[in-house]
Amino acid sequence: MKKHNFYAGPSIMSQFTIRNTADAVLDFANTGLSILEVSHRSKEFQAVMDEAQALVKELLEVPEGYHMLFLGGGASLQFAMVPYNLLRTKAAYLDTGVWAHKAIKEAKLFGEVDVVASSEDKNYNYIPRDYVVPTDVDYFHYTTNNTIYGTEIRKDPEVPVRLVADMSSDIFSRPVDVSKYDIIYAGAQKNLAPAGATLIIVREDCLGKADRAIPTMLNYKTHTAKGSMFNTPPVLPIFSALQTLKYYKEMGGIKELERRDLAKAGKLYEAIDSSRIFEATVPNHEDRSIMNVCFVMKPEYTELEKEFMEFATSKGIVGIKGHRSVGGFRASLYNALPMESVDVLVQAMKEFQDKH
Ligand SMILES: *Cc1c(COP(=O)(O)O)cnc(C)c1O
């Protein structure tokens, strides 16, 4: 049976990415060798790195003065690398969920942290609005898409200080004005590649200002100086990332991806909002994520959750179990997920409702 993959991460990848990666594992760039056994200093791999960086730059319209890095350690390492490199006395953070919270925890190791607002009071089911970013902080950090709770900030904020964003789960799903940001980071395993690489877009002129010794590998300058090849990079995820970026370009670029993502999310939210038995966990439409759609059974139907999960599984639907801190269901609609899969889920919800 055809599977419909709604996992939150690692998550669905395009067949283009998977097939080309599989081919390169067998024979990479006609070298007669697997990509798994080729030097990262070979001209063939250098070409992969160069093209991947160039395509990130092209697709996101990254201005001059930025570096594109592919480092190990996941987005979670960036929670520490950002303050290590940027925090001198104080930083401001927006607390919109578990990932934001973890970033705050790391920043506190390096200086004062001003949490400008938090939506913890309602289990992070909304985006705080009335907050002010102070001018006396080194930077403001926020999470664009809260993967666990299904909330998203889809507008680049205007702040009077340097801006840093964790875009792990919604990068490449909307145009971004990169010039507003000093650092954007994203673990690969949601909209880009298999786990193992983190894409970091860093503005050169924000570096070298913190007055502290930084371990070589945790210093962005180490990596920007060497084109992200100071040490052995995560070769295979970078190769896969390049395939995904080519696929994105082929599909028509970021605006087209956004159009498709909006259509997919629109259809699913519409089905939830018009349902008699399901309801969305994020009430405010403006705050709803177009990548991770969270929903539950209405209170009078909660005992049907397990049965719906089994029904969905029987239709080939995979990975819709909600995060344990929210419960219910979460359908992740990353770029590689076709509309067909949303249709199958919506149909399953309707059929299930008709039975009850
Ligand atoms: C998945 C995720 C992370 C964690 O990424 P790792 O690569 O596992 O460290 C961080 N932030 C957000 C928004 C995420 O979705």
Side-chain angles (χ1 to χ4, degrees):
M1 188 201 308
K2 185 172 163 50
K3 299 288 182 184
H4 301 280
N5 181 356
F6 292 92
Y7 276 124
S11 45
I12 186 165
M13 277 192 281
S14 72
Q15 284 302 308
F16 181 86
T17 300
I18 292 172
R19 292 229 162 83
N20 288 353
T21 303
D23 287 347
V25 167
L26 298 174
D27 180 7
F28 169 49
N30 299 316
T31 55
L33 300 170
S34 167
I35 185 155
L36 305 177
E37 56 180 358
V38 181
S39 169
H40 60 294
R41 306 285 177 200
S42 65
K43 70 174 190 323
E44 289 84 5
F45 184 75
Q46 185 65 56
V48 168
M49 176 63 95
D50 293 346
E51 199 181 351
Q53 290 173 331
L55 271 177
V56 169
K57 187 165 186 211
E58 181 183 333
L59 287 167
L60 290 178
E61 297 177 31
V62 180
E64 288 308 306
Y66 287 80
H67 297 269
M68 271 66 62
L69 307 176
F70 291 97
L71 305 182
S76 298
L77 182 61
Q78 297 309 305
F79 297 162
M81 267 178 88
V82 165
Y84 222 143
N85 285 264
L86 262 52
L87 208 171
R88 294 151 80 189
T89 54
K90 190 158 87 166
Y93 278 71
L94 185 63
D95 178 24
T96 52
V98 161
W99 299 118
H101 214 84
K102 289 188 175 179
I104 291 166
K105 177 170 176 254
E106 297 304 299
K108 284 181 176 165
L109 298 171
F110 300 93
E112 209 181 313
V113 175
D114 182 349
V115 179
V116 295
S118 171
S119 47
E120 195 179 2
D121 59 337
K122 290 190 175 161
N123 198 28
Y124 298 115
N125 77 347
Y126 70 101
I127 297 291
R129 292 198 193 275
D130 298 319
Y131 59 87
V132 178
V133 175
T135 53
D136 67 338
V137 295
D138 298 313
Y139 62 89
F140 172 61
H141 176 285
Y142 80 112
T143 314
T144 51
N145 183 64
N146 301 286
T147 325
I148 292 173
Y149 311 90
T151 62
E152 187 174 19
I153 300 170
R154 303 190 62 250
K155 196 167 169 287
D156 305 312
E158 292 290 344
V159 291
V161 293
R162 293 191 185 278
L163 183 58
V164 178
D166 174 358
M167 296 194 186
S168 291
S169 52
D170 67 349
I171 194 158
F172 303 118
S173 71
R174 65 177 171 95
V176 171
D177 181 354
V178 177
S179 71
K180 289 204 166 111
Y181 295 83
D182 290 85
I183 296 180
I184 291 170
Y185 60 90
Q189 67 273 25
K190 279 114 186 187
N191 250 345
L192 190 58
T198 310
L199 169 64
I200 300 141
I201 302 170
V202 53
R203 191 202 297 262
E204 177 67 34
D205 84 0
C206 75
L207 302 177
K209 303 210 163 33
D211 180 25
R212 69 166 61 86
I214 304 174
T216 309
M217 278 298 286
L218 301 183
N219 193 331
Y220 289 117
K221 274 180 165 286
T222 302
H223 304 286
T224 60
K226 297 286 183 190
S228 202
M229 290 270 244
F230 169 74
N231 69 324
T232 318
V235 173
L236 191 72
I238 295 169
F239 179 86
S240 296
L242 172 59
Q243 308 315 307
T244 302
L245 294 163
K246 285 183 177 174
Y247 169 75
Y248 286 170
K249 184 172 171 179
E250 184 67 32
M251 280 177 79
I254 303 294
K255 284 212 178 80
E256 173 60 17
L257 290 166
E258 181 185 45
R259 190 191 65 74
R260 290 171 188 238
D261 290 335
L262 284 168
K264 287 185 286 178
K267 190 178 267 186
L268 183 51
Y269 281 120
E270 154 66 24
I272 296 166
D273 289 339
S274 61
S275 163
R276 176 168 50 78
I277 61 173
F278 295 100
E279 68 185 4
T281 60
V282 178
N284 186 351
H285 290 221
E286 260 178 69
D287 294 348
R288 289 177 173 179
S289 169
I290 63 167
M291 293 280 104
N292 312 98
V293 176
C294 295
F295 56 103
V296 291
M297 291 281 178
K298 286 188 179 168
E300 58 274 35
Y301 294 102
T302 42
E303 79 283 1
L304 292 177
E305 275 186 6
K306 198 164 158 277
E307 195 184 328
F308 177 66
M309 194 63 90
E310 282 158 13
F311 184 71
T313 307
S314 77
K315 303 277 180 191
I317 293 166
V318 178
I320 57 162
K321 192 172 170 25
H323 190 272
R324 62 189 176 280
S325 57
V326 179
F329 310 99
R330 168 176 54 176
S332 297
L333 315 179
Y334 296 122
N335 287 348
L337 186 92
M339 182 61 106
E340 181 203 343
S341 293
V342 175
D343 289 334
V344 169
L345 176 58
V346 166
Q347 185 57 33
M349 290 165 69
K350 290 203 171 117
E351 270 179 46
F352 188 80
Q353 173 175 306
D354 290 344
K355 291 207 298 180
H356 296 277

